[in-house]
Amino acid sequence: MTRSSVPQGPSLWVEQPGSIDTDAWRDGLTADVVIAGAGLTGLATALTLLDQGSSVVVLEARTIGAVSTGHTTGKVSLLQGSQLSTLDKALPRELLDAYVAANRAGQEWIRQFAGAEGVSLEIRDAITYAATDAGAPTVEAELATASSLGLDVSALSSVELPLSITAGVSLPRQFQLDAGDLLAALARAIRRRGGIIVEGVRARDVHSGSPCVVRTDRGDVRGDRVILATGMPFLKRGGQFATIQAHRSYALAYRWDEPALRGMYLSVDEPARSIRDSEQADGRYLVVGGNDHRVGTGQPTTARVADLAEWTTATFGELTQTHSWSAQDYRVSDTLPHFGPISPGDDRVFVATGYNKWGMANGAAAGISLAGQFAGNAPEWAMALRGRVPTPSAIKNTLAAGATVAGDMAKGWVGAELASLPKDGPAEGEGVVVRDGVKPVAVCKVNGVVSRSSAVCPHLGGIVAWNDVEKSWDCPLHGSRFDASGEVLEGPAVTALSS
Ligand SMILES: Cc1cc2nc3c(=O)[nH]c(=O)nc-3n(C[C@H](O)[C@H](O)[C@H](O)COP(=O)(O)OP(=O)(O)OC[C@H]3O[C@@H](n4cnc5c(N)ncnc54)[C@H](O)[C@@H]3O)c2cc1C
Ligand code: FES
C-alpha cells in the first residue's frame, strides 16, 4: 500500500496557523454583534454587518481558519457534485430554488470581494463525473436537475485527466481559490473597518438578554445579537446537535509540473474523489481529496489516507507529495444549510451551519442572509430557507441519525467495558479506551508521552474513539474532537476531556 509520505499537518492554504494579524483580548469587549468563529462564515458575516453600519467583535477559539475553511478544497461552484439532484428528490422546488439563489449570491459576494481586495480566483469548469456504470445515472440526474434550474450545464464523455469516465456534467466559469488568501483578506478588511477579531478565545455559553452576554474562557463579551459561526453550534438549546452529523475527509497536495487544469472535479462514486490544481508562489500543485466518514467512526484513519495516496499514484503516476490534511463539515437532516435563529422566535442568538461540504458559497450567503435578517431586508431566498418546515425525508433522516447516535453511544460504553489496557500500555501513536473501575478512560501515547483522560465526551456523554492519523480523540455522536492531552480541538464541546 502506498503510504502518505508527509505527516498530517497544516493544509496548502494555512501553512502557518496564527500568522494573520488580529487584535489582543481586552476586558469589557462590547459590540452590536458578537460572532463566535473566524472561518469563512464568521468573517464574511462580520464584514457584511460592518458594511451595514453595525459594530462587530469576532471571537475565535483557535486561530483564523483553524478548522474547516483552512482545510477545505476551496471550490466555489453552483454545480456541487450530486447535491442539486439529491436536494431535488427531498425538497419542494421552492426550497431548491432558494438554495441555488443563496449559492449564486454567496458566489457573487466572494467574486466581488476577491476582485476588490486582490484575492486571486482561478476560473475553472466545475465537473461532476462517474467512473463506474453504477454512478452514471447519478450524473445524468444531476445534469437534468441543473439544467432544469437554468444552469448552463453540458454532458461530458471524457475529461483532460487520466481517468476513464462513464458520465460527466460540466458547468463553465466557476472558480477555485486559496482559502488562506481569502481569510487573510477578509481579516484585513474587517479590521480596516473597525471590526475586532480576537483569537484564542473559546465561547462557552450565551445568556440571552439586552445585551446578550457571551461567556468565554477569557471573560464576558456583550452584544445585542450573537451569531454562532462555529460549525456545529455549541449551545444545546437549539437542539441542532440532534439533526446534524459531522463528516470528516482527507486531502493530499502534490507538486504538479503539468499545465493548469481546465476543470475542478468531484466524482459521485464511493469513495468520492475531489481533484483540483492550485497556482502558488512557488509553482503549481495538485490537490486530491476524499474518503469521507462520520467523525469518530471508520478507523483506522491512517488506512483512509493511505488509500487516497494509493489512488493518486495509480491515477497520476509518481508525484512529489507536499501536504496531507483533513477536516470535517456538518450535514443537516434535510441537507440544507441553516442560517437563522437558534430556535424559532429567538431574535438574539443566531446560527449558521450545515453546509454538507459546500460551505464556500454557502458561508458567504450566511453573511448576506443574517445581515439582511437583522436589517429587515433579507432576500427572498433567505426567508425561504429560514422559514422552512421539516420535510418527511428530513424527519426520517433525523430519526435515523438519532438511532445511529444511540447505537454509537451504547457501542462506546460496551466497548470500554470489554477492553483492557495492553500490558506495556499503548504503542507509540496508538490510543485505547479501557475501563478503570466503572469509568471509561482514554489512554494514548504520542511522542513518547502517555496521556490519560476520561473517555466521556463533555458535550453529551459519547465515548471518544482514537483517530490514529491525527492523534486525536474523536466523538462519534456529534463530532467533537480533542487532542492527545484531552484539550478541545473542534466540535460542540467547550471543555476538555476531564482528567
Ligand atoms: C475536506 C473538506 C473539503 C471541502 N471542500 C469544499 C469545497 O471545495 N467547496 C465548498 O464550497 N466547500 C467545501 N467544504 C466545506 C467548507 O470548507 C466549509 O463548509 C466551510 O469552510 C465552513 O466554514 P465555517 O466558517 O462555517 O466553519 P469553520 O471554518 O470551521 O469555522 C468555524 C470556526 O469556529 C471556531 N469555533 C468553534 N467553536 C468555537 C467556540 N465555542 N468559540 C469560538 N470559536 C469557536 C473554530 O475554531 C473555527 O475556526 C469542504 C469541507 C471539507 C471538510
Ligand atoms: S460531541 Fe456530542 S456527545 Fe460528544
Side-chain angles (χ1 to χ4, degrees), residues 36-42 59-63 65-69 71-75 201-203 229-231 234 249 327-329 352 355 357-361 491 494:
L40 174 59
T41 302
L59 306 172
E60 166 54 48
R62 294 171 63 185
T63 51
V67 180
S68 300
T69 309
H71 300 83
T72 179
T73 41
K75 302 168 185 165
V201 181
R202 188 169 291 279
T230 54
F234 60 87
S249 52
Q328 69 197 42
D329 204 15
Y355 303 142
K357 300 220 172 119
W358 287 106
M360 303 306 284
V494 290

Side-chain angles (χ1 to χ4, degrees), residues 31-258:
D32 294 332
V33 185
V34 180
I35 298 175
L40 174 59
T41 302
L43 297 189
T45 306
L47 190 59
T48 312
L49 286 165
L50 285 160
D51 282 343
Q52 194 167 280
S54 301
S55 60
V56 177
V57 171
V58 182
L59 306 172
E60 166 54 48
R62 294 171 63 185
T63 51
I64 292 175
V67 180
S68 300
T69 309
H71 300 83
T72 179
T73 41
K75 302 168 185 165
V76 190
S77 172
L78 299 182
L79 181 68
Q80 304 175 341
S82 56
Q83 174 89 329
L84 298 176
S85 48
T86 305
L87 292 175
D88 196 24
K89 281 186 212 125
L91 297 173
R93 194 64 181 206
E94 313 83 79
L95 282 183
L96 180 56
D97 286 339
Y99 179 80
V100 174
N103 277 265
R104 212 184 273 285
Q107 188 189 46
E108 191 49 34
W109 190 95
I110 294 177
R111 202 190 302 270
Q112 284 191 14
F113 173 78
E117 297 287 333
V119 177
S120 162
L121 301 181
E122 296 174 318
I123 307 297
R124 295 287 184 276
D125 295 349
I127 292 166
T128 297
Y129 73 92
T132 62
D133 288 338
T138 306
V139 174
E140 282 148 18
E142 192 64 15
L143 174 65
T145 305
S147 183
S148 74
L149 288 161
L151 300 183
D152 181 21
V153 280
S154 49
L156 286 181
S157 55
S158 63
V159 289
E160 64 190 310
L161 303 176
L163 281 171
S164 169
I165 68 168
T166 53
V169 50
S170 162
L171 179 65
R173 299 203 63 74
Q174 306 303 291
F175 58 86
Q176 59 191 22
L177 46 71
D178 178 321
D181 290 349
L182 178 68
L183 290 169
L186 281 166
R188 279 194 302 272
I190 288 167
R191 297 181 71 232
R192 240 183 7 243
R193 287 161 173 78
I196 293 172
I197 307 171
V198 191
E199 294 180 322
V201 181
R202 188 169 291 279
R204 291 196 163 149
D205 199 2
V206 179
H207 288 254
S208 259
S210 183
C212 297
V213 182
V214 182
R215 306 257 189 243
T216 82
D217 50 8
R218 305 282 296 271
D220 292 348
V221 182
R222 290 179 164 71
D224 292 334
R225 288 194 169 102
V226 177
I227 296 172
L228 309 186
T230 54
M232 172 84 88
F234 60 87
L235 294 178
K236 299 183 188 99
R237 62 179 177 261
Q240 279 81 16
F241 60 82
T243 64
I244 300 180
Q245 285 195 345
H247 282 253
R248 202 155 181 88
S249 52
Y250 300 86
L252 306 173
Y254 298 83
R255 290 275 177 194
W256 182 244
D257 297 327
E258 305 290 326

Side-chain angles (χ1 to χ4, degrees), residues 457 459-462 475 477-480 492:
C457 174
H459 178 234
L460 282 171
C475 181
L477 267 53
H478 315 106
S480 289

Side-chain angles (χ1 to χ4, degrees), residues 250-318:
Y250 300 86
L252 306 173
Y254 298 83
R255 290 275 177 194
W256 182 244
D257 297 327
E258 305 290 326
L261 298 179
R262 290 189 300 279
M264 49 186 192
Y265 297 81
L266 186 60
S267 75
V268 298
D269 305 305
E270 286 296 331
R273 299 297 183 215
S274 170
I275 306 162
R276 64 166 283 191
D277 63 344
S278 173
E279 189 71 39
Q280 298 283 322
D282 62 351
R284 192 169 296 123
Y285 289 77
L286 181 75
V287 177
V288 297
N291 285 356
D292 174 281
H293 63 103
R294 261 196 329 110
V295 175
T297 68
Q299 295 90 352
T301 45
T302 38
R304 293 177 181 272
V305 178
D307 174 72
L308 190 58
E310 190 169 54
W311 177 83
T312 307
T313 305
T315 306
F316 296 99
E318 287 295 339

